[in-house]
Amino acid sequence: MGKKGKRSKKSSKKVTTKNATANTATAPATIVNEVVKQAATSNGSAPKADSGLPPGLEASLSSFTPQQQILCKLLCSPLLNQRHLFEHWPITSTNKTDKEKNQLVSQLESMDKAYPNGLVGYIKNAKDLLEKSKKGVNPLDGWKPSVPTGEAFEIGTKEFDDVESIGREELGRVGFVLVAGGLGERLGYGDIKIGLPTEMTTETKYIQMYIEYILALQNKYANTKLPLCIMTSNDTIAGTKKILTENKYFGMDESQITIVQ
């Protein structure tokens, strides 16, 4: 489980059971039984969901809700094999470490609720896809592309205004992802693309224009801070961090921005 070929220890998370219709947060016993049943079928014996917990997780387990405890134990089980998520946790408790632990577990629980059949289903699907890829199975075999049907709206018409008003209502609940892994060499620019000027009068950088656009939407439509994720590469991550810090994130709170590589 991971992103772009790398194993992500925070984003690898979900997996489905064959007969379960709810996730661990709403029906943990169902998923536990299914996990044990699958393990017994595949390995001949059913591992205990709470065996071999990382010490840091073991020390912190009582601070989580019962549903969160079950989810953490399942993730550490031999069947799901995600104990690396908790192996770096310190045993000693501090306000900072407790906050970080609760944030991660809350994220896991949220992802478990969002994915069909929870994290169990996600991990199972990921393993199935990796195994098929290893065997050279084409997941699109037999699939025929087709042109989707849709609607076209002319600017200035009532239909356009009606549909646009529906979209505006959702603007306060969206997140933004900026793909910023490339350099501007083909454009004759010797730095990262997000540093390119959008026009020559003020030389406003692209990343500045992008962030100011998000902030404008946030001020008008949102009751919260809208998140921005910037996807970088080895070539651009250092430059991306530099341009943001030197310009104080162009008015956006640092906490709103997540940089991934």
Side-chain angles (χ1 to χ4, degrees):
M1 310 178 320
K3 219 170 197 179
K4 294 188 176 181
K6 293 185 178 180
R7 184 168 183 166
S8 172
K9 294 193 176 183
K10 278 200 174 184
S11 63
S12 47
K13 297 154 188 168
K14 303 185 179 179
V15 185
T16 303
T17 61
K18 200 169 186 179
N19 300 318
T21 58
N23 59 42
T24 56
T26 55
T30 302
I31 300 252
V32 172
N33 293 337
E34 184 65 24
V35 170
V36 171
K37 184 174 70 175
Q38 288 185 21
T41 301
S42 59
N43 303 325
S45 61
K48 295 181 180 179
D50 60 348
S51 61
L53 294 181
L57 174 60
E58 185 94 50
S60 306
L61 208 57
S62 61
S63 64
F64 305 135
T65 67
Q67 290 85 355
Q68 290 174 336
Q69 292 181 30
I70 291 175
L71 179 59
C72 291
K73 291 176 181 179
L74 284 175
L75 289 170
C76 292
S77 68
L79 182 66
L80 301 188
N81 194 28
Q82 301 302 308
R83 57 180 291 119
H84 60 268
L85 293 168
F86 313 100
E87 285 178 337
H88 66 286
W89 280 13
I91 298 177
T92 305
S93 177
T94 66
N95 288 337
K96 182 180 179 181
T97 57
D98 287 348
K99 181 179 179 181
E100 292 174 346
K101 291 176 182 180
N102 279 283
Q103 284 178 339
L104 175 59
V105 173
S106 295
Q107 289 175 357
L108 290 170
E109 185 177 36
S110 178
M111 295 172 70
D112 187 62
K113 292 179 180 179
Y115 194 85
N117 293 315
L119 294 179
V120 178
Y122 180 88
I123 297 171
K124 181 178 182 297
N125 289 343
K127 289 180 178 180
D128 288 344
L129 289 172
L130 287 171
E131 183 63 26
K132 289 177 180 178
S133 176
K134 183 179 178 181
K135 294 179 179 178
V137 177
N138 182 4
L140 300 179
D141 188 33
W143 180 80
K144 294 182 179 180
S146 61
V147 178
T149 57
E151 298 288 343
F153 302 97
E154 185 177 346
I155 296 177
T157 63
K158 182 180 183 303
E159 289 80 8
F160 179 91
D161 292 338
D162 289 344
V163 174
E164 187 179 53
S165 65
I166 296 172
R168 280 199 300 266
E169 293 177 2
E170 303 299 323
L171 286 175
R173 296 188 290 272
V174 299
F176 296 83
V177 178
L178 177 61
V179 180
L183 300 173
E185 295 170 332
R186 288 185 295 112
L187 303 173
Y189 184 69
D191 207 340
I192 56 178
K193 286 182 180 177
I194 63 171
L196 277 164
T198 56
E199 45 83 27
M200 298 309 298
T201 305
T202 63
E203 295 188 350
T204 300
K205 300 179 187 300
Y206 179 82
I207 184 61
Q208 177 182 351
M209 182 189 70
Y210 195 86
I211 287 177
E212 289 177 348
Y213 174 79
I214 296 174
L215 292 175
L217 294 177
Q218 176 179 294
N219 292 336
K220 188 168 184 178
Y221 298 107
N223 295 319
T224 185
K225 296 174 182 177
L226 301 179
L228 167 62
C229 177
I230 303 177
M231 302 176 64
T232 66
S233 66
N234 288 335
D235 293 327
T236 64
I237 185 167
T240 299
K241 290 180 177 179
K242 180 180 178 182
I243 196 174
L244 288 171
T245 55
E246 287 183 347
N247 293 278
K248 298 181 179 179
Y249 299 90
F250 299 102
M252 181 174 277
D253 285 351
E254 182 182 355
S255 61
Q256 289 178 252
I257 301 176
T258 300
I259 299 175
V260 297
Q261 182 179 2

